[in-house]
């Protein structure tokens, strides 16, 4: 164990000075002279890794993908040249958008970007839509950021923009974003966004006059009413018709009366009510009822009426 340094010892002269009041212990620490003679510690400069870096601007879409994104009108409804979705998820979304296009007067194209990406400043989205979607089937074009639905933008063909106000377009986008934000992961968000926007596109069709009032949205199909099959005539009714044809009106009247009587009897049988006799069960051990145990009343014969079986008999006689 290392030895501790020895404490300073009082000298005889120091003791005499303290007794006379010529010297106060510790006075040197409180004097200005001691502050001037204090040791100055130099502060080391921060290390490079400790220097706070300025925020890096989000990366733009790589130049190698710009032509695939914006070079021409897409041949697929899901534009994902970077492969941000898995093959299965991309196929599912493409099939949904293709189905929508087959049943809708407006195509829906989705350009897919990563959540931290930005479109280069030299790309003007409005000009891209006007250049590629002014002719042919009207279209709604969406720039969607996978994992950040709130960054999505919507653009429409000139034909639609003339009929659908910008405020209605923003409401359609906001409604789709709200649906997406309720989902837990980015793939489910994109799916919910696509479905909701496809529904909103239907109302754009109506506003643009591309669908008549009698047509319905393909995503909400009308109920198909099936014709009620003709009821098979009963045997009694068939015999009545044959009797009327053979014997004339008088036989028909008589047959109708018979038919009414038979119908009345059938109705009476359906409305019949049966009353079962009430038995007084004898007490057991002087008690009015048992502890949660009841008596079993059975009518053993199926050929006799309940009233004729009102007398209590042993079990072996009731079988």
């Amino acid at each position: 164990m290392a030895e501790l340094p020895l404490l300073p010892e009082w000298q005889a002269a120091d003791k005499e000075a303290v007794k006379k009041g010529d010297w106060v212990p510790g006075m040197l620490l409180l004097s200005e002279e001691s502050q001037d003679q204090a040791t100055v510690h130099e502060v080391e400069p921060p290390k490079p890794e400790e220097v706070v870096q300025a925020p890096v601007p989000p990366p733009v879409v790589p130049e190698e993908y710009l032509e695939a994104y914006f070079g021409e009108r897409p041949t697929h409804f899901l534009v994902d040249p970077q492969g941000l979705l898995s093959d299965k998820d991309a196929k599912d979304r493409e099939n949904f958008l293709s189905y929508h296009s087959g049943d809708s007067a407006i195509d829906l194209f989705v350009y897919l970007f990563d959540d931290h990406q930005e479109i280069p400043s030299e790309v003007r989205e409005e000009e891209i839509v006007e250049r590629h979607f002014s002719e042919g089937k009207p279209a709604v074009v969406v720039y969607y950021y996978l994992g950040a639905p709130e960054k999505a933008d919507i653009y429409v063909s000139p034909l639609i923009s003339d009929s659908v106000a910008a405020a209605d377009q923003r409401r359609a986008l906001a409604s789709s974003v709200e649906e997406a934000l309720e989902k837990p992961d980015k793939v489910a968000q994109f799916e919910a966004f696509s479905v909701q926007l496809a529904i909103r596109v239907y109302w754009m069709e109506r506003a643009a006059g591309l669908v008549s009032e009698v047509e319905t949205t393909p995503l909400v199909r009308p109920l198909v009413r099936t014709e009620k099959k003709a009821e098979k005539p009963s045997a009694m009714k068939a015999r009545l018709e044959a009797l009327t044809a053979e014997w004339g009106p008088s036989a028909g009247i008589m047959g109708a009366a018979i038919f009414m009587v038979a119908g009345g009897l059938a109705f009476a049988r359906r409305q019949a009510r049966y009353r079962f006799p009430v038995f007084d069960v004898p007490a057991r051990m002087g008690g009015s009822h048992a502890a949660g145990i009841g008596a079993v009343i059975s009518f053993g014969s199926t050929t006799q009426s309940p009233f004729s079986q009102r007398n209590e008999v042993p079990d072996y006689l009731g079988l």
Side-chain angles (χ1 to χ4, degrees):
M1 182 175 180
E3 295 182 359
L4 298 175
L6 298 176
L7 296 175
E9 296 181 358
W10 287 86
Q11 302 296 327
D14 295 335
K15 293 181 179 180
E16 292 296 330
V18 172
K19 291 179 180 180
K20 296 178 180 181
D22 295 337
W23 177 58
V24 178
M27 182 61 69
L28 183 61
L29 299 176
L30 303 177
S31 63
E32 296 181 359
E33 181 180 358
S34 63
Q35 296 179 5
D36 296 338
Q37 295 177 355
T39 304
V40 178
H41 299 280
E42 295 183 358
V43 179
E44 296 181 1
K47 298 179 181 180
E49 60 271 15
E50 297 176 350
V51 178
V52 178
Q53 301 291 337
V56 179
V60 297
V61 178
E63 186 176 356
E64 57 185 296
Y65 297 112
L66 295 183
E67 181 65 23
Y69 273 117
F70 309 110
E72 59 183 1
R73 180 171 177 139
T75 57
H76 295 84
F77 298 103
L78 177 62
V79 186
D80 182 21
Q82 300 182 80
L84 300 176
L85 287 177
S86 65
D87 294 340
K88 179 182 181 302
D89 293 333
K91 184 177 180 180
D92 291 343
R93 291 301 90 211
E94 177 66 28
N95 289 341
F96 172 79
L97 296 173
S98 299
Y99 172 80
H100 168 81
S101 175
D103 285 345
S104 174
I106 298 177
D107 285 341
L108 177 57
F109 291 88
V110 180
Y111 288 68
L112 200 60
F113 305 96
D114 207 357
D115 59 348
H116 64 277
Q117 289 182 328
E118 297 287 343
I119 299 176
S121 57
E122 61 268 18
V123 176
R124 301 294 300 275
E125 293 90 332
E126 298 88 348
E127 295 179 1
I128 295 296
V129 173
E130 186 175 356
R131 184 192 314 161
H132 298 320
F133 299 96
S134 293
E135 299 179 356
K137 189 176 180 180
V140 172
V141 179
V142 175
Y143 294 153
Y144 185 86
Y145 297 85
L146 193 63
E150 65 278 2
K151 294 175 59 179
D153 291 321
I154 187 172
Y155 302 92
V156 298
S157 297
L159 176 62
I160 304 175
S161 62
D162 294 340
S163 305
V164 181
D168 294 333
Q169 300 176 31
R170 290 192 297 270
R171 278 193 290 268
L173 179 63
S175 174
S176 304
V177 170
E178 289 177 2
E179 290 291 330
L181 292 176
E182 294 180 357
K183 303 302 178 180
D185 59 85
K186 58 185 181 181
V187 176
Q189 288 177 347
F190 183 36
E191 179 180 358
F193 180 92
S194 304
V195 172
Q196 180 64 16
L197 187 59
I199 296 174
R200 302 296 298 219
V201 167
Y202 165 71
W203 300 107
M204 295 185 186
E205 294 181 20
R206 296 172 64 89
L210 300 176
V211 60
S212 61
E213 294 294 334
V214 297
E215 295 181 7
T216 57
T217 172
L219 297 177
V220 183
R221 298 186 179 278
L223 295 175
V224 179
R225 297 184 178 272
T226 56
E227 295 183 359
K228 186 177 180 181
K229 295 183 179 180
E231 296 182 357
K232 184 178 180 179
S234 63
M236 178 68 73
K237 186 176 181 181
R239 290 196 297 269
L240 177 60
E241 293 177 351
L243 186 64
T244 302
E246 182 176 358
W247 297 99
S250 58
I253 295 173
M254 184 181 297
I258 296 174
F259 181 77
M260 292 176 63
V261 171
L265 292 176
F267 177 78
R269 283 196 298 270
R270 286 196 300 268
Q271 300 296 321
R273 298 292 182 270
Y274 298 94
R275 295 183 178 275
F276 291 87
V278 179
F279 290 100
D280 292 330
V281 180
R284 297 294 186 268
M285 300 180 68
S288 59
H289 59 81
I293 302 175
V296 178
I297 301 175
S298 61
F299 299 91
S301 176
T302 59
T303 59
Q304 301 179 16
S305 66
F307 181 77
S308 64
Q309 304 179 61
R310 65 186 183 278
N311 296 323
E312 185 177 1
V313 295
D315 293 341
Y316 64 89
L317 293 179
L319 296 178

PDB file of all heavy atoms in Angstrom, residues 5-6 33 135 139 146 154 175 179 194-195 202 216-217 228 239 254 260 268 273 282 298-299:
ATOM      1  N   PRO A   5       1.465  11.092   2.038  1.00  0.00           N
ATOM      2  CA  PRO A   5       2.410  12.171   2.356  1.00  0.00           C
ATOM      3  C   PRO A   5       2.201  12.674   3.782  1.00  0.00           C
ATOM      4  O   PRO A   5       1.070  12.708   4.293  1.00  0.00           O
ATOM      5  CB  PRO A   5       2.082  13.235   1.324  1.00  0.00           C
ATOM      6  CG  PRO A   5       0.683  12.945   0.912  1.00  0.00           C
ATOM      7  CD  PRO A   5       0.526  11.460   1.000  1.00  0.00           C
ATOM      8  N   LEU A   6       3.316  13.078   4.418  1.00  0.00           N
ATOM      9  CA  LEU A   6       3.243  13.567   5.794  1.00  0.00           C
ATOM     10  C   LEU A   6       2.603  14.938   5.867  1.00  0.00           C
ATOM     11  O   LEU A   6       2.712  15.736   4.919  1.00  0.00           O
ATOM     12  CB  LEU A   6       4.655  13.635   6.392  1.00  0.00           C
ATOM     13  CG  LEU A   6       5.387  12.280   6.494  1.00  0.00           C
ATOM     14  CD1 LEU A   6       6.805  12.501   7.018  1.00  0.00           C
ATOM     15  CD2 LEU A   6       4.627  11.320   7.382  1.00  0.00           C
ATOM     16  N   GLU A  33      -2.882  38.435  -4.242  1.00  0.00           N
ATOM     17  CA  GLU A  33      -1.594  37.974  -4.738  1.00  0.00           C
ATOM     18  C   GLU A  33      -1.656  36.490  -5.062  1.00  0.00           C
ATOM     19  O   GLU A  33      -1.098  36.013  -6.042  1.00  0.00           O
ATOM     20  CB  GLU A  33      -0.505  38.247  -3.693  1.00  0.00           C
ATOM     21  CG  GLU A  33       0.888  37.808  -4.156  1.00  0.00           C
ATOM     22  CD  GLU A  33       1.949  38.090  -3.111  1.00  0.00           C
ATOM     23  OE1 GLU A  33       1.589  38.648  -2.066  1.00  0.00           O
ATOM     24  OE2 GLU A  33       3.095  37.739  -3.356  1.00  0.00           O
ATOM     25  N   GLU A 135     -52.124  14.335 -73.452  1.00  0.00           N
ATOM     26  CA  GLU A 135     -52.872  13.581 -74.457  1.00  0.00           C
ATOM     27  C   GLU A 135     -53.152  12.181 -73.931  1.00  0.00           C
ATOM     28  O   GLU A 135     -52.488  11.693 -73.022  1.00  0.00           O
ATOM     29  CB  GLU A 135     -52.078  13.512 -75.770  1.00  0.00           C
ATOM     30  CG  GLU A 135     -51.801  14.875 -76.398  1.00  0.00           C
ATOM     31  CD  GLU A 135     -50.992  14.757 -77.672  1.00  0.00           C
ATOM     32  OE1 GLU A 135     -50.589  13.613 -77.996  1.00  0.00           O
ATOM     33  OE2 GLU A 135     -50.771  15.783 -78.331  1.00  0.00           O
ATOM     34  N   ALA A 139     -55.101  11.310 -66.416  1.00  0.00           N
ATOM     35  CA  ALA A 139     -54.328  10.626 -65.379  1.00  0.00           C
ATOM     36  C   ALA A 139     -54.163  11.507 -64.154  1.00  0.00           C
ATOM     37  O   ALA A 139     -54.148  12.737 -64.249  1.00  0.00           O
ATOM     38  CB  ALA A 139     -52.959  10.204 -65.914  1.00  0.00           C
ATOM     39  N   LEU A 146     -41.751   6.668 -49.885  1.00  0.00           N
ATOM     40  CA  LEU A 146     -41.966   5.469 -49.096  1.00  0.00           C
ATOM     41  C   LEU A 146     -41.463   5.671 -47.671  1.00  0.00           C
ATOM     42  O   LEU A 146     -40.278   5.907 -47.442  1.00  0.00           O
ATOM     43  CB  LEU A 146     -41.238   4.286 -49.747  1.00  0.00           C
ATOM     44  CG  LEU A 146     -41.597   2.887 -49.221  1.00  0.00           C
ATOM     45  CD1 LEU A 146     -43.055   2.585 -49.491  1.00  0.00           C
ATOM     46  CD2 LEU A 146     -40.703   1.833 -49.874  1.00  0.00           C
ATOM     47  N   ILE A 154     -49.462  15.637 -55.503  1.00  0.00           N
ATOM     48  CA  ILE A 154     -50.420  15.155 -56.490  1.00  0.00           C
ATOM     49  C   ILE A 154     -50.497  16.133 -57.641  1.00  0.00           C
ATOM     50  O   ILE A 154     -50.459  17.361 -57.448  1.00  0.00           O
ATOM     51  CB  ILE A 154     -51.815  14.937 -55.849  1.00  0.00           C
ATOM     52  CG1 ILE A 154     -52.766  14.281 -56.852  1.00  0.00           C
ATOM     53  CG2 ILE A 154     -52.382  16.236 -55.320  1.00  0.00           C
ATOM     54  CD1 ILE A 154     -54.096  13.870 -56.227  1.00  0.00           C
ATOM     55  N   SER A 175     -56.728  13.193 -47.480  1.00  0.00           N
ATOM     56  CA  SER A 175     -57.480  12.032 -47.014  1.00  0.00           C
ATOM     57  C   SER A 175     -56.668  10.750 -47.173  1.00  0.00           C
ATOM     58  O   SER A 175     -56.671   9.878 -46.293  1.00  0.00           O
ATOM     59  CB  SER A 175     -58.790  11.912 -47.793  1.00  0.00           C
ATOM     60  OG  SER A 175     -59.483  10.729 -47.465  1.00  0.00           O
ATOM     61  N   GLU A 179     -55.119   8.154 -44.126  1.00  0.00           N
ATOM     62  CA  GLU A 179     -55.278   6.703 -44.103  1.00  0.00           C
ATOM     63  C   GLU A 179     -53.929   6.006 -43.981  1.00  0.00           C
ATOM     64  O   GLU A 179     -53.791   5.002 -43.276  1.00  0.00           O
ATOM     65  CB  GLU A 179     -55.995   6.233 -45.374  1.00  0.00           C
ATOM     66  CG  GLU A 179     -57.453   6.624 -45.459  1.00  0.00           C
ATOM     67  CD  GLU A 179     -58.304   5.883 -44.452  1.00  0.00           C
ATOM     68  OE1 GLU A 179     -57.959   4.738 -44.106  1.00  0.00           O
ATOM     69  OE2 GLU A 179     -59.308   6.444 -44.001  1.00  0.00           O
ATOM     70  N   SER A 194     -52.783   4.081 -51.538  1.00  0.00           N
ATOM     71  CA  SER A 194     -53.212   3.786 -52.912  1.00  0.00           C
ATOM     72  C   SER A 194     -54.705   3.507 -52.983  1.00  0.00           C
ATOM     73  O   SER A 194     -55.401   4.002 -53.887  1.00  0.00           O
ATOM     74  CB  SER A 194     -52.418   2.591 -53.453  1.00  0.00           C
ATOM     75  OG  SER A 194     -51.031   2.823 -53.391  1.00  0.00           O
ATOM     76  N   VAL A 195     -55.206   2.723 -52.034  1.00  0.00           N
ATOM     77  CA  VAL A 195     -56.631   2.372 -52.050  1.00  0.00           C
ATOM     78  C   VAL A 195     -57.492   3.612 -51.831  1.00  0.00           C
ATOM     79  O   VAL A 195     -58.479   3.837 -52.552  1.00  0.00           O
ATOM     80  CB  VAL A 195     -56.918   1.305 -50.969  1.00  0.00           C
ATOM     81  CG1 VAL A 195     -58.417   1.067 -50.844  1.00  0.00           C
ATOM     82  CG2 VAL A 195     -56.205   0.002 -51.301  1.00  0.00           C
ATOM     83  N   TYR A 202     -62.430   8.378 -58.196  1.00  0.00           N
ATOM     84  CA  TYR A 202     -63.786   8.195 -58.728  1.00  0.00           C
ATOM     85  C   TYR A 202     -64.581   9.498 -58.694  1.00  0.00           C
ATOM     86  O   TYR A 202     -65.297   9.837 -59.638  1.00  0.00           O
ATOM     87  CB  TYR A 202     -64.503   7.111 -57.927  1.00  0.00           C
ATOM     88  CG  TYR A 202     -65.997   7.096 -58.159  1.00  0.00           C
ATOM     89  CD1 TYR A 202     -66.525   6.660 -59.365  1.00  0.00           C
ATOM     90  CD2 TYR A 202     -66.885   7.548 -57.186  1.00  0.00           C
ATOM     91  CE1 TYR A 202     -67.891   6.660 -59.589  1.00  0.00           C
ATOM     92  CE2 TYR A 202     -68.243   7.545 -57.393  1.00  0.00           C
ATOM     93  CZ  TYR A 202     -68.749   7.099 -58.603  1.00  0.00           C
ATOM     94  OH  TYR A 202     -70.088   7.111 -58.812  1.00  0.00           O
ATOM     95  N   THR A 216     -71.427   3.324 -61.699  1.00  0.00           N
ATOM     96  CA  THR A 216     -70.981   3.267 -60.314  1.00  0.00           C
ATOM     97  C   THR A 216     -69.499   3.035 -60.279  1.00  0.00           C
ATOM     98  O   THR A 216     -68.901   2.571 -61.242  1.00  0.00           O
ATOM     99  CB  THR A 216     -71.697   2.141 -59.560  1.00  0.00           C
ATOM    100  OG1 THR A 216     -71.457   0.901 -60.242  1.00  0.00           O
ATOM    101  CG2 THR A 216     -73.191   2.385 -59.475  1.00  0.00           C
ATOM    102  N   THR A 217     -68.903   3.368 -59.153  1.00  0.00           N
ATOM    103  CA  THR A 217     -67.474   3.182 -59.004  1.00  0.00           C
ATOM    104  C   THR A 217     -67.112   1.718 -59.048  1.00  0.00           C
ATOM    105  O   THR A 217     -67.805   0.872 -58.502  1.00  0.00           O
ATOM    106  CB  THR A 217     -66.987   3.766 -57.666  1.00  0.00           C
ATOM    107  OG1 THR A 217     -65.630   3.396 -57.490  1.00  0.00           O
ATOM    108  CG2 THR A 217     -67.788   3.259 -56.494  1.00  0.00           C
ATOM    109  N   LYS A 228     -86.491 -13.481 -58.588  1.00  0.00           N
ATOM    110  CA  LYS A 228     -87.075 -14.482 -57.717  1.00  0.00           C
ATOM    111  C   LYS A 228     -87.676 -15.591 -58.557  1.00  0.00           C
ATOM    112  O   LYS A 228     -88.443 -15.364 -59.477  1.00  0.00           O
ATOM    113  CB  LYS A 228     -88.155 -13.843 -56.842  1.00  0.00           C
ATOM    114  CG  LYS A 228     -88.713 -14.797 -55.800  1.00  0.00           C
ATOM    115  CD  LYS A 228     -89.723 -14.085 -54.927  1.00  0.00           C
ATOM    116  CE  LYS A 228     -90.281 -15.023 -53.875  1.00  0.00           C
ATOM    117  NZ  LYS A 228     -91.276 -14.343 -53.038  1.00  0.00           N
ATOM    118  N   ARG A 239    -104.428 -29.849 -58.951  1.00  0.00           N
ATOM    119  CA  ARG A 239    -105.667 -30.626 -59.100  1.00  0.00           C
ATOM    120  C   ARG A 239    -106.874 -29.715 -59.275  1.00  0.00           C
ATOM    121  O   ARG A 239    -107.802 -30.004 -60.020  1.00  0.00           O
ATOM    122  CB  ARG A 239    -105.853 -31.525 -57.868  1.00  0.00           C
ATOM    123  CG  ARG A 239    -104.863 -32.672 -57.788  1.00  0.00           C
ATOM    124  CD  ARG A 239    -105.325 -33.742 -56.793  1.00  0.00           C
ATOM    125  NE  ARG A 239    -105.400 -33.209 -55.456  1.00  0.00           N
ATOM    126  CZ  ARG A 239    -104.388 -33.242 -54.596  1.00  0.00           C
ATOM    127  NH1 ARG A 239    -103.219 -33.753 -54.956  1.00  0.00           N
ATOM    128  NH2 ARG A 239    -104.539 -32.748 -53.378  1.00  0.00           N
ATOM    129  N   MET A 254    -116.618 -25.593 -56.415  1.00  0.00           N
ATOM    130  CA  MET A 254    -116.560 -26.614 -55.373  1.00  0.00           C
ATOM    131  C   MET A 254    -115.117 -26.919 -54.984  1.00  0.00           C
ATOM    132  O   MET A 254    -114.786 -27.054 -53.806  1.00  0.00           O
ATOM    133  CB  MET A 254    -117.251 -27.900 -55.873  1.00  0.00           C
ATOM    134  CG  MET A 254    -117.320 -29.007 -54.814  1.00  0.00           C
ATOM    135  SD  MET A 254    -118.116 -30.479 -55.479  1.00  0.00           S
ATOM    136  CE  MET A 254    -119.750 -29.800 -55.820  1.00  0.00           C
ATOM    137  N   MET A 260    -110.098 -24.088 -49.806  1.00  0.00           N
ATOM    138  CA  MET A 260    -110.118 -23.143 -48.695  1.00  0.00           C
ATOM    139  C   MET A 260    -110.237 -23.879 -47.365  1.00  0.00           C
ATOM    140  O   MET A 260    -109.593 -23.526 -46.370  1.00  0.00           O
ATOM    141  CB  MET A 260    -111.267 -22.151 -48.871  1.00  0.00           C
ATOM    142  CG  MET A 260    -111.082 -21.195 -50.061  1.00  0.00           C
ATOM    143  SD  MET A 260    -112.511 -20.119 -50.289  1.00  0.00           S
ATOM    144  CE  MET A 260    -112.495 -19.203 -48.759  1.00  0.00           C
ATOM    145  N   ALA A 268    -105.009 -24.026 -38.931  1.00  0.00           N
ATOM    146  CA  ALA A 268    -105.392 -24.297 -37.548  1.00  0.00           C
ATOM    147  C   ALA A 268    -104.379 -25.216 -36.876  1.00  0.00           C
ATOM    148  O   ALA A 268    -104.064 -25.059 -35.695  1.00  0.00           O
ATOM    149  CB  ALA A 268    -106.790 -24.925 -37.521  1.00  0.00           C
ATOM    150  N   ARG A 273    -102.093 -24.883 -29.896  1.00  0.00           N
ATOM    151  CA  ARG A 273    -101.290 -24.766 -28.689  1.00  0.00           C
ATOM    152  C   ARG A 273    -101.645 -25.910 -27.742  1.00  0.00           C
ATOM    153  O   ARG A 273    -102.832 -26.255 -27.593  1.00  0.00           O
ATOM    154  CB  ARG A 273    -101.529 -23.420 -27.996  1.00  0.00           C
ATOM    155  CG  ARG A 273    -101.132 -22.216 -28.826  1.00  0.00           C
ATOM    156  CD  ARG A 273     -99.620 -22.147 -28.999  1.00  0.00           C
ATOM    157  NE  ARG A 273     -99.214 -20.959 -29.750  1.00  0.00           N
ATOM    158  CZ  ARG A 273     -99.087 -20.919 -31.065  1.00  0.00           C
ATOM    159  NH1 ARG A 273     -99.360 -22.013 -31.783  1.00  0.00           N
ATOM    160  NH2 ARG A 273     -98.706 -19.810 -31.657  1.00  0.00           N
ATOM    161  N   PRO A 282     -94.145 -33.947  -4.483  1.00  0.00           N
ATOM    162  CA  PRO A 282     -94.135 -34.101  -3.016  1.00  0.00           C
ATOM    163  C   PRO A 282     -92.828 -33.637  -2.412  1.00  0.00           C
ATOM    164  O   PRO A 282     -91.773 -33.706  -3.045  1.00  0.00           O
ATOM    165  CB  PRO A 282     -94.329 -35.615  -2.829  1.00  0.00           C
ATOM    166  CG  PRO A 282     -93.881 -36.230  -4.122  1.00  0.00           C
ATOM    167  CD  PRO A 282     -94.247 -35.224  -5.189  1.00  0.00           C
ATOM    168  N   SER A 298     -91.473 -36.267 -16.770  1.00  0.00           N
ATOM    169  CA  SER A 298     -91.378 -36.790 -18.128  1.00  0.00           C
ATOM    170  C   SER A 298     -92.699 -37.413 -18.524  1.00  0.00           C
ATOM    171  O   SER A 298     -93.422 -37.950 -17.692  1.00  0.00           O
ATOM    172  CB  SER A 298     -90.247 -37.831 -18.223  1.00  0.00           C
ATOM    173  OG  SER A 298     -90.505 -38.927 -17.370  1.00  0.00           O
ATOM    174  N   PHE A 299     -92.992 -37.317 -19.782  1.00  0.00           N
ATOM    175  CA  PHE A 299     -94.169 -37.940 -20.356  1.00  0.00           C
ATOM    176  C   PHE A 299     -93.658 -39.064 -21.243  1.00  0.00           C
ATOM    177  O   PHE A 299     -93.161 -38.830 -22.346  1.00  0.00           O
ATOM    178  CB  PHE A 299     -94.990 -36.927 -21.141  1.00  0.00           C
ATOM    179  CG  PHE A 299     -95.487 -35.789 -20.280  1.00  0.00           C
ATOM    180  CD1 PHE A 299     -94.737 -34.642 -20.131  1.00  0.00           C
ATOM    181  CD2 PHE A 299     -96.692 -35.905 -19.597  1.00  0.00           C
ATOM    182  CE1 PHE A 299     -95.183 -33.607 -19.336  1.00  0.00           C
ATOM    183  CE2 PHE A 299     -97.144 -34.867 -18.796  1.00  0.00           C
ATOM    184  CZ  PHE A 299     -96.392 -33.716 -18.653  1.00  0.00           C
TER     185      PHE A 299
END
